[in-house]
Amino acid sequence: MTVEKKSRNPKRSASRMSRIRPSGLRKLFELEHKIAKSTSHKILSFGLGNLNIPTMPEIIDRLKIALDDPVSHRYSPNAGLQELREAIVERYKAKYHLDYSPNQVVVTSGCLEALIDTFIAYVEPGDEILIQDPTFGYYAAQIRLAGGKVKPIPLNNNFELEADAVNETINSKTKALVLNFPCNPTGSVMIREQIKAVVEIASDKGILVISDEAYEAITYNGHQHTCAAEIDYDNVIIISSFSKTYCMTGFRIGYVLAPPEILSSISLVHQYNTACANSPAQIAAKIALDSPSSIRNSMMEELTKRRTETIKAFTSVDGIKVDYNPLGAFYIYPDVSGLGMNGTKFSECLLEECQIVVVPGSEFGTATPDHVRVSYGFLNQEDIREAGTRIQSFFS
Ligand SMILES: Cc1ncc(COP(=O)(O)O)c(C=O)c1O
């Protein structure tokens, strides 16, 4: 009996995978591990967009009790626990005066699931999706996985998105604009008038606005975040999560808020993607929203102090500049070109010579190769000061 030769290659991945490159962070982290083995110095990592501040004990204590209830052991409704969706809606009413109903919320596994569900639901092959440059590296990969084309728009010198730049980039293939303020990697924010101007351009041109507001609750010096949905335009999708607001990155709970006719497709993708977000984690998220807002005070006090120390540590050397005001998230984005190197060279040099990890600007687009992202989410103040001492003694 002859065996028919198979023409298919089961090991060949889908062609869309050729448009996805592994994160360059991997190279940096490999180098970090290599150096960690060969040095007695502690590696100080400003690399991760993660928080080492524990989730508030109030949330954990009440969650432990809630875990005895079998409701937390089962699938939740696809869109998420009703009580959680109601609490999310109440929060948006109280904070932004927005009138969502619980059926305009889908609870997801973090912002990341909310984002990819949205791209799968709305991006068609050939569609162009506008993103900021620099911005969070996941957008480009997720848009490409959904079959879309990424169109970056460089931010201005203060790392804000200018409405004129958006206007000039939109063409007949443009489907959506992804906004991200407070911004990862820059920590920059936009005031209400700026958000309004950008959303109004999207409205004039009839494109979707997908606003990733993962850091909406982390702002400094009294900056008031404007939710993009506060601007009068029907086609705005808000994506956010509990990860950064409540130091709950590992719980993986996020959500999408959108008008019902937009949300229904996203909800369908979510249904077939994960069925529902993790039930115990949804209960934890509900507890977080029920807790007094003061439970976040110590986290914000700590981040505010770290922010001051980090700016001091990185600007103590001539040639490293932070000449804009990072008023959100937990990043600063210095320009290191004054040292005669780009961000990639600087991050390698900092790791090899000072055992300090930062992420080169090339990980966040092509517009800012001379910058590095410095995250102060994962290092305490003492370590940040130690980093400052190492940087000063090496570069001077
Ligand atoms: C801008 C931005 N959006 C989304 C995420 C992912 O958030 P989540 O943990 O909710 O999936 C991150 C994580 O660093 C981020 O920086």
Side-chain angles (χ1 to χ4, degrees):
M1 197 171 70
T2 55
V3 180
E4 210 178 291
K5 200 175 166 210
K6 284 194 179 151
S7 59
R8 271 177 266 143
N9 175 358
K11 292 198 187 71
R12 191 170 58 217
S13 56
S15 55
R16 75 181 81 89
M17 296 310 294
S18 65
R19 298 197 291 271
I20 313 292
R21 68 173 181 97
S23 161
L25 289 176
R26 189 185 295 173
K27 197 177 150 208
L28 198 67
F29 292 131
E30 276 164 14
L31 190 59
E32 178 183 337
H33 283 296
K34 206 171 126 202
I35 287 173
K37 279 189 195 148
S38 64
T39 177
S40 55
H41 284 110
K42 179 176 175 184
I43 303 254
L44 301 175
S45 181
F46 293 92
L48 290 173
N50 207 347
L51 288 156
N52 68 346
I53 303 170
T55 307
M56 296 74 183
E58 292 86 338
I59 298 174
I60 301 301
D61 290 346
R62 287 178 55 200
L63 175 63
K64 284 179 187 162
I65 298 166
L67 283 175
D68 285 333
D69 184 343
V71 166
S72 70
H73 310 164
R74 305 173 185 143
Y75 293 126
S76 79
N78 290 145
L81 292 172
Q82 176 73 15
E83 314 84 86
L84 174 59
R85 286 183 287 134
E86 281 169 8
I88 291 171
V89 160
E90 274 167 32
R91 180 170 180 280
Y92 274 74
K93 176 79 183 160
K95 184 165 182 190
Y96 299 111
H97 309 293
L98 287 166
D99 282 315
Y100 285 107
S101 73
N103 67 6
Q104 289 173 273
V105 185
V106 170
V107 177
T108 56
S109 299
C111 286
L112 289 178
E113 195 226 331
L115 285 161
I116 194 142
D117 289 352
T118 304
F119 295 135
I120 291 174
Y122 283 96
V123 177
E124 304 218 55
D127 280 349
E128 291 185 357
I129 311 298
L130 312 182
I131 63 170
Q132 303 164 194
D133 190 350
T135 199
F136 182 44
Y138 275 66
Y139 304 139
Q142 290 194 341
I143 290 163
R144 291 184 185 119
L145 279 173
K149 200 170 161 209
V150 175
K151 258 305 196 46
I153 308 178
L155 298 179
N156 69 16
N157 290 341
N158 291 323
F159 298 123
E160 300 152 342
L161 182 64
E162 292 191 355
D164 285 348
V166 177
N167 195 22
E168 282 159 21
T169 318
I170 293 175
N171 63 40
S172 59
K173 293 187 192 145
T174 310
K175 180 69 180 266
L177 162 71
V178 181
L179 274 181
N180 171 225
F181 290 100
C183 175
N184 174 6
T186 61
S188 58
V189 297
M190 298 242 282
I191 59 168
R192 188 183 188 83
E193 286 313 305
Q194 292 171 306
I195 297 279
K196 185 166 182 279
V198 167
V199 175
E200 282 177 354
I201 295 289
S203 167
D204 285 350
K205 303 278 176 152
I207 63 166
L208 275 177
V209 174
I210 301 167
S211 190
D212 174 356
E213 304 189 5
Y215 299 95
E216 53 95 26
I218 302 185
T219 58
Y220 308 90
N221 298 6
H223 172 78
Q224 295 291 321
H225 174 74
T226 297
C227 175
E230 288 178 69
I231 314 303
D232 186 22
Y233 179 41
D234 284 345
N235 300 320
V236 175
I237 299 170
I238 301 298
I239 286 172
S240 192
S241 78
F242 291 79
S243 292
K244 320 287 175 172
T245 308
Y246 292 97
C247 299
M248 289 172 67
T249 50
F251 284 75
R252 311 306 303 126
I253 295 294
Y255 49 90
V256 188
L257 294 169
E261 59 281 13
I262 290 183
L263 195 66
S264 57
S265 299
I266 299 170
S267 175
L268 210 54
V269 179
H270 165 72
Q271 181 181 333
Y272 288 111
N273 193 359
T274 59
C276 66
N278 175 298
S279 297
Q282 290 190 61
I283 293 171
K286 166 77 167 79
I287 295 170
L289 288 178
D290 286 347
S291 306
S293 55
S294 57
I295 67 158
R296 295 183 58 258
N297 288 354
S298 61
M299 164 199 168
M300 281 312 297
E301 273 166 27
E302 174 64 17
L303 285 180
T304 304
K305 287 182 191 151
R306 290 185 189 186
R307 176 177 171 274
T308 307
E309 294 292 348
T310 306
I311 294 175
K312 213 193 283 174
F314 278 82
T315 52
S316 58
V317 166
D318 281 348
I320 307 181
K321 267 191 313 185
V322 182
D323 48 9
Y324 72 102
N325 207 357
L327 287 181
F330 40 82
Y331 309 109
I332 64 167
Y333 202 55
D335 176 343
V336 296
S337 57
L339 294 172
M341 40 181 126
N342 66 19
T344 305
K345 188 84 201 114
F346 175 79
S347 58
E348 285 168 8
C349 167
L350 211 59
L351 184 50
E352 278 163 16
E353 304 296 341
C354 304
Q355 294 78 48
I356 293 173
V357 181
V358 295
V359 181
S362 53
E363 286 304 306
F364 306 100
T366 56
T368 52
D370 291 337
H371 290 71
V372 290
R373 186 187 77 177
V374 181
S375 164
Y376 47 89
F378 218 74
L379 278 186
N380 61 32
Q381 293 171 55
E382 199 186 321
D383 284 340
I384 296 171
R385 282 192 288 271
E386 163 67 15
T389 309
R390 289 188 199 176
I391 292 170
Q392 237 181 346
S393 63
F394 178 71
F395 285 100
S396 58

